[in-house]
Amino acid sequence: MKFIYVLEDDVRIQKDLFETLKMIDPKLHIRFFTNLSDFHEWLKIAVHEGPKSLADGGQRHSLDNLDPIEPTNTHELKLVIAKNEFLGTQNMGLIRRARDFFLRKKMCSEQEPTALILTAFDSPNFDIKLAEDRIINNVIFKPFDKLILKQDLEFALLGHQAIGSSATVTSIKINSTIEMLKEVSTNSLTEVGFTTINNHEIEIGALTKYYAEAFKTENKKSVHAFCKSCKQLSEKEYLCDFHFFAADNQQISQVRKHILQATEHKNEGFQNTHSAPARILILDEETSIALDLKIYLSDRFSNSEVFVYNSFAQLASDLDDKDTQHRQHLPTSFDFVFANYEIFEIEKQKRWEQICKGLEDRTKRANQTFKLPPLFLISKKKVPLEEVRELSTWTKDIFFTPLDKGYITKKLVNEHSGLANKAPVTIASLKENAILKVANPVEITQISEAGLVMKYYRAISTGAFREFILWRPEENEIPEIIGTVNFHEEDTGGQEFFYNHFIFFGMKDHYLKHIRLWLREAFIKQKEKE
């Protein structure tokens, strides 16, 4: 027979748990302990009697109408549900000893050890991080969401098996990308990026999304950054330098404020003395922005030669050396290109490839080697998140209007020695050991309000914890949802990947609301694709 032991003294919580467990399986034998001392007394008896002690342990609920059961060695302790104040995060050592005890006394099997669920109120006194331990199946917050309570109890009773569809919580099959978080520590923060200490080498140019308090503004808490350099310090330590990509003006201001407010911040000077001309092409249909950018670049960099176009067609004509009324005589090649994002908004990369083809043909006609110039986009509006990663494959950076010229100067001087700055440029930095969360995009194939299935290149061990973000535009309201691996399986179709089944851990009311909104939007997007 299957027994459930519940350590809880609140009669309303007892009733909720009893009724939910009976809905799952009316044959479950449920026993209650209203204090920890009674549970200790039962343990003393269990030392001698083992599984036989299960039938007489604790108290039956007043609504329990099952017939009395005789003690036997075949009884099994499937699940312990404990109030955090009784047997929770402050007693993790006791919890481990208790589960080892259940195994030794053969109240459960090594393949399916007794499951443990903690119940707690969501308060500042409860730190869920302390509960992220492989021996704990889940934390359920009170007051209960009845659907999630039933689903989490079902998962605990089911054991480590695949998450199938359930009558309790609707699961949808979906091919979608979400973010899996990983914590890394910063070594320093600068006005143009940050450095981290990693345990593995990072590919130069690799773009990643990061979440941190230092990047938080009114509506964002993440920023994209690419790896500029990666230096090995020891066998398992790498110092990686990251520079921001497509950081908006509020974020730039926030980072700068965060650094300069610290009394221990330092200033590093940069002075490039390159003498060869730096030929800069500006393509912007708005004459005022193009002119402003030309004046700025000419004033800041002594070797700059700036050519401005307000027409894509005229630029294409001049690159081909066609004789027209508004022709400009261009150099053979360019070192930098600045262009309005809106020019590339429709055809995107194709438009840039057309410019590159014109530049390459021009170089070939002069019998010179073509070198692709970096492209900087200027945008008057937000760039959709899904476009940022795509643009990063062929764009050096994106700046937003009104232009933060101080920031642009610091990035250009730091990243491009070919630009000779007239006046020394100072970049402020701060030695700071803070936590960043790397957002790695991962593919999911199934999701519900209680868990998800992630398609991944490897199997993640059962009981391991991961944090996920189901992205929506209101970034500051997005919760970091904890998931624990309940099961993993290798793909049967011959592909080299695994399906990792996660159960959401410690779900809260606003987490559920967020998941429901994300599910609705994801379902609509999927239907639009069909």
Side-chain angles (χ1 to χ4, degrees):
M1 293 296 181
K2 298 176 182 179
F3 281 83
I4 314 295
Y5 272 18
V6 181
L7 282 69
E8 177 62 64
D9 59 356
D10 187 316
V11 294
R12 291 171 300 178
I13 299 298
Q14 289 178 355
K15 185 171 183 289
D16 285 342
L17 291 170
F18 178 81
E19 291 178 343
T20 305
L21 287 165
K22 284 296 184 179
M23 277 195 291
I24 296 170
D25 184 355
K27 296 179 181 179
L28 290 174
H29 294 272
I30 306 165
R31 301 292 186 266
F32 291 87
F33 296 85
T34 57
N35 55 68
L36 197 55
S37 61
D38 287 350
F39 185 68
H40 281 154
E41 290 301 316
W42 168 77
L43 287 172
K44 292 176 184 178
I45 298 171
V47 168
H48 304 288
E49 298 185 7
K52 284 185 176 181
S53 65
L54 289 171
D56 295 327
Q59 304 169 14
R60 294 168 58 129
H61 196 273
S62 60
L63 298 177
D64 194 343
N65 56 9
L66 286 179
D67 293 333
I69 187 170
E70 291 296 321
T72 172
N73 283 327
T74 61
H75 290 167
E76 180 183 8
L77 184 57
K78 285 291 293 181
L79 170 65
V80 172
I81 304 170
K83 179 178 180 178
N84 183 60
E85 290 81 359
F86 284 177
L87 194 67
T89 54
Q90 77 280 13
N91 288 316
M92 293 302 292
L94 177 59
I95 291 174
R96 290 188 184 90
R97 291 194 299 272
R99 194 157 90 158
D100 289 343
F101 175 79
F102 301 150
L103 280 166
R104 287 199 315 272
K105 293 300 177 179
K106 302 188 184 306
M107 298 182 191
C108 59
S109 67
E110 290 188 9
Q111 294 74 26
E112 287 297 338
T114 301
L116 174 63
I117 285 179
L118 297 183
T119 63
F121 287 99
D122 184 18
S123 73
N125 297 325
F126 180 77
D127 184 0
I128 197 168
K129 286 291 183 183
L130 298 177
E132 289 183 28
D133 193 294
R134 291 174 186 265
I135 65 171
I136 296 179
N137 289 64
N138 219 321
V139 172
I140 306 178
F141 285 107
K142 301 178 280 192
F144 299 133
D145 179 292
K146 295 296 180 67
L147 290 178
I148 296 301
L149 173 64
K150 185 170 183 285
Q151 182 71 86
D152 285 345
L153 293 176
E154 281 180 343
F155 285 152
L157 292 168
L158 182 66
H160 298 302
Q161 298 183 34
I163 298 175
S165 56
S166 165
T168 304
V169 177
T170 303
S171 179
I172 64 170
K173 293 188 180 296
I174 187 171
N175 292 317
S176 186
T177 300
I178 63 171
E179 296 171 350
M180 184 168 67
L181 303 181
K182 178 185 177 182
E183 287 190 357
V184 295
S185 296
T186 59
N187 182 60
S188 67
L189 180 66
T190 78
E191 291 182 87
V192 296
F194 53 89
T195 60
T196 65
I197 301 293
N198 290 71
N199 59 9
H200 63 280
E201 188 175 2
I202 304 293
E203 181 183 353
I204 304 300
L207 185 83
T208 315
K209 185 179 179 184
Y210 293 85
Y211 290 88
E213 282 298 311
F215 310 145
K216 192 172 183 179
T217 61
E218 290 180 0
N219 51 22
K220 288 186 74 176
K221 59 179 179 181
S222 71
V223 68
H224 284 84
F226 66 89
C227 183
K228 182 174 180 285
S229 66
C230 186
K231 178 182 178 182
Q232 186 170 7
L233 302 178
S234 64
E235 186 179 351
K236 290 187 177 181
E237 275 195 329
Y238 294 83
L239 176 63
C240 301
D241 183 15
F242 292 88
H243 278 204
F244 299 135
F245 179 84
D248 65 41
N249 292 353
Q250 276 192 324
Q251 288 179 305
I252 295 165
S253 178
Q254 171 64 21
V255 170
R256 183 182 294 139
K257 180 180 177 181
H258 179 82
I259 295 171
L260 296 180
Q261 281 182 340
T263 55
E264 65 271 27
H265 80 268
K266 295 181 179 179
N267 294 311
E268 183 179 0
F270 290 83
Q271 180 66 67
N272 295 336
T273 56
H274 199 75
S275 58
R279 300 180 178 92
I280 303 172
L281 172 64
I282 297 175
L283 177 60
D284 197 324
E285 294 172 348
E286 286 206 21
T287 306
S288 58
I289 295 177
L291 183 60
D292 183 41
L293 192 57
K294 177 181 180 179
I295 293 171
Y296 150 68
L297 292 169
S298 300
D299 286 347
R300 297 291 177 96
F301 303 104
S302 59
N303 64 334
S304 62
E305 294 181 5
V306 185
F307 299 82
V308 177
Y309 280 86
N310 303 118
S311 165
F312 179 84
Q314 185 64 52
L315 171 63
S317 174
D318 287 3
L319 287 175
D320 202 29
D321 287 327
K322 292 181 179 178
D323 192 13
T324 59
Q325 182 180 356
H326 300 291
R327 178 184 177 185
Q328 296 184 61
H329 293 278
L330 301 178
T332 303
S333 61
F334 285 94
D335 302 293
F336 304 92
V337 178
F338 289 80
N340 190 328
Y341 163 77
E342 293 183 4
I343 293 175
F344 297 90
E345 191 171 12
I346 298 176
E347 295 182 301
K348 295 184 177 66
Q349 190 172 357
K350 183 179 179 182
R351 182 64 62 92
W352 172 235
E353 289 172 351
Q354 289 174 336
I355 294 175
C356 292
K357 184 68 168 60
L359 291 169
E360 184 178 10
D361 291 344
R362 185 176 184 80
T363 306
K364 286 181 178 178
R365 288 196 298 271
N367 293 319
Q368 295 182 12
T369 303
F370 173 67
K371 182 180 179 182
L372 184 69
L375 170 65
F376 298 89
L377 293 181
I378 308 296
S379 180
K380 295 186 297 180
K381 60 184 182 180
K382 293 180 181 179
V383 177
L385 181 67
E386 58 270 18
E387 285 189 24
V388 170
R389 183 170 290 275
E390 177 193 343
L391 291 170
S392 72
T393 60
W394 50 276
T395 303
K396 184 64 178 176
D397 208 343
I398 305 171
F399 302 125
F400 296 89
T401 59
L403 297 175
D404 188 324
K405 296 171 184 175
Y407 171 74
I408 297 174
T409 301
K410 293 173 183 184
K411 285 214 75 180
L412 292 177
V413 169
N414 184 258
E415 296 174 7
H416 304 282
S417 59
L419 282 169
N421 45 308
K422 293 180 180 180
V425 171
T426 300
I427 298 178
S429 65
L430 176 65
K431 278 283 184 182
E432 185 174 59
N433 185 19
I435 295 297
L436 292 178
K437 294 195 175 182
V438 186
N440 296 309
V442 293
E443 184 182 347
I444 60 170
T445 59
Q446 187 175 325
I447 186 170
S448 74
E449 295 172 9
L452 59 83
V453 179
M454 181 179 78
K455 183 179 175 182
Y456 204 48
Y457 72 95
R458 66 178 177 89
I460 302 176
S461 60
T462 302
F465 289 86
R466 294 292 187 272
E467 285 185 315
F468 298 99
I469 280 185
L470 306 177
W471 194 86
R472 299 189 68 248
E474 302 81 7
E475 270 198 358
N476 288 334
E477 298 176 14
I478 298 176
E480 295 170 1
I481 299 171
I482 304 168
T484 179
V485 179
N486 189 60
F487 180 77
H488 58 250
E489 58 186 328
E490 192 170 359
D491 175 59
T492 56
Q495 301 290 328
E496 294 184 359
F497 58 79
F498 291 80
Y499 293 105
N500 292 280
H501 296 241
F502 285 85
I503 293 172
F504 293 144
F505 187 87
M507 293 301 292
K508 303 178 184 180
D509 184 57
H510 69 282
Y511 288 15
L512 292 172
K513 290 178 181 176
H514 176 80
I515 292 171
R516 288 162 186 164
L517 284 171
W518 188 91
L519 282 169
R520 185 180 66 186
E521 293 168 2
F523 181 75
I524 292 171
K525 287 180 182 178
Q526 181 164 280
K527 285 297 181 184
E528 289 174 348
K529 291 178 182 179
E530 293 177 356

